[in-house]
Amino acid sequence: MRSITDTFTLRNGYKMPCLGYGTWQTPDGQVAVDSVKEALRVGYRHIDGAAAYHNEECVGRGIKESGVAREDIFITSKLWNDERGYDTTLRAFDKTLADLGLEYLDLYLIHWPASSSRFDNWEQLNLDTWRAMTELYKAGRIRAIGVSNFHEHHLRALMETEVLPMVNQIEFHPGQMSAELVSYCKANDIILQAWSPLGQGSLIGHETITAMAEKYGKTPAQMILRWVLQNGVVPLSKSITPSRITENAQIFDFEISEDDMAVISAMPYVGGSGQHPDEVKF
């Protein structure tokens, strides 16, 4: 990938920009409006949001006020856990669309899978949710559908359905590569996105990353985001600081060597959230 406008092609042929701007933990209000506007101003064309972030109205305002044509922006939202199920998914989607002030979404994800640790009928619950999303997709209200935080055993049932998952957004960063899950998704034509690619900020000062950054004349954040991209995964960067929003987009003028990619990939577990989809309590 050589430009922020380069894309990954989903299984249905739809194009997804290779770098996303994330809105998790962005405070609701004018901060969210201004941050989204700034991201679009500096060239991002991929905005990642979710109902659970409680800022979709202001994210939508930022998109509208940016002046960038709607058709030039790839916009994602996610279904929160207490809205799983067929009817509730349809209602939740309508609310998200209204909050964002949009006529369609580019991508809609199941935020977390229902799991056996909390639901006896977890597999059916995921399938009922997926059926609603499939109907929305076939009706043209969503351009692509997928999941987030799904492991292989969560995905298997969905791989037997009429419309297969196109995206899986997972925690992915140096020290947490989820190699088996990544291999499974790539083998099944599921594009991966990386949430918390900077390890929730904890990787910025890691000695391996800082040494690499000095070698390439880049910041630690730029090194990590480029590493994610070169692994064939879409990084979702997040900041509300204008200078860092710009910095995080400047990852297309260099390439990490194979040897240095291997060094970063060999880092031990670090920076992980510790959130496993079969163990979370929400």
Side-chain angles (χ1 to χ4, degrees):
M1 299 292 177
R2 288 297 180 182
S3 167
I4 197 171
T5 58
D6 287 348
T7 59
F8 286 81
T9 302
L10 305 181
R11 67 166 72 247
N12 66 347
Y14 202 58
K15 306 288 188 182
M16 178 172 63
C18 65
L19 176 66
Y21 176 73
T23 59
W24 178 52
Q25 293 185 329
T26 298
D28 195 23
Q30 195 61 41
V31 171
V33 176
D34 292 342
S35 297
V36 169
K37 287 169 63 176
E38 180 65 12
L40 291 169
R41 186 191 70 79
V42 302
Y44 292 84
R45 291 296 181 266
H46 181 171
I47 305 296
D48 179 79
Y53 301 167
H54 303 296
N55 57 12
E56 289 198 305
E57 288 187 21
C58 290
V59 168
R61 279 179 51 202
I63 291 167
K64 185 175 181 179
E65 293 177 15
S66 72
V68 178
R70 168 65 185 97
E71 61 268 23
D72 293 333
I73 309 174
F74 188 101
I75 303 169
T76 301
S77 186
K78 308 178 193 75
L79 176 85
W80 187 239
N81 300 351
D82 59 6
E83 303 288 357
R84 299 186 190 103
Y86 178 78
D87 291 329
T88 45
T89 294
L90 296 177
R91 289 195 295 269
F93 175 79
D94 283 341
K95 184 178 187 306
T96 274
L97 216 57
D99 287 346
L100 287 167
L102 301 176
E103 295 183 356
Y104 70 93
L105 278 180
D106 296 276
L107 178 64
Y108 198 40
L109 306 177
I110 302 175
H111 207 148
W112 290 83
S115 69
S116 58
S117 65
R118 299 191 65 203
F119 302 97
D120 292 336
N121 65 334
W122 66 274
E123 195 169 60
Q124 187 60 50
L125 187 52
N126 288 330
L127 284 169
D128 289 344
T129 303
W130 190 250
R131 180 164 58 93
M133 292 175 63
T134 298
E135 288 191 11
L136 293 165
Y137 168 72
K138 291 171 69 176
R141 303 184 70 196
I142 312 170
R143 301 296 188 255
I145 53 177
V147 297
S148 180
N149 300 300
F150 273 54
H151 285 195
E152 183 177 343
H153 60 284
H154 306 119
L155 283 164
R156 286 194 198 108
L158 302 189
M159 299 305 293
E160 302 296 326
T161 60
E162 178 184 6
V163 178
L164 304 183
M166 302 171 196
V167 170
N168 190 9
Q169 185 178 127
I170 64 172
E171 184 174 9
F172 180 90
H173 51 74
Q176 184 161 333
M177 294 187 65
S178 304
E180 290 185 8
L181 175 58
V182 169
S183 294
Y184 177 84
C185 288
K186 289 184 175 182
N188 285 280
D189 199 20
I190 299 172
I191 299 294
L192 290 148
Q193 297 178 334
W195 64 261
S196 196
L198 305 182
Q200 301 181 76
S202 63
L203 288 168
I204 297 299
H206 191 281
E207 59 183 1
T208 298
I209 300 298
T210 56
M212 286 290 183
E214 184 175 351
K215 176 179 178 178
Y216 283 84
K218 290 291 180 178
T219 67
Q222 288 168 335
M223 287 300 303
I224 296 167
L225 295 173
R226 183 69 200 184
W227 172 88
V228 172
L229 196 59
Q230 286 185 215
N231 272 291
V233 177
V234 177
L236 303 171
S237 67
K238 184 265 173 182
S239 179
I240 59 173
T241 305
S243 61
R244 288 180 182 164
I245 291 173
T246 298
E247 171 192 313
N248 291 343
Q250 296 173 337
I251 61 171
F252 298 97
D253 58 352
F254 75 109
E255 185 166 344
I256 304 172
S257 72
E258 288 186 15
D259 288 346
D260 289 339
M261 285 289 292
V263 170
I264 298 172
S265 296
M267 288 174 57
Y269 179 79
V270 62
S273 70
Q275 294 180 332
H276 190 287
D278 286 330
E279 298 171 0
V280 295
K281 303 300 183 183
F282 47 80

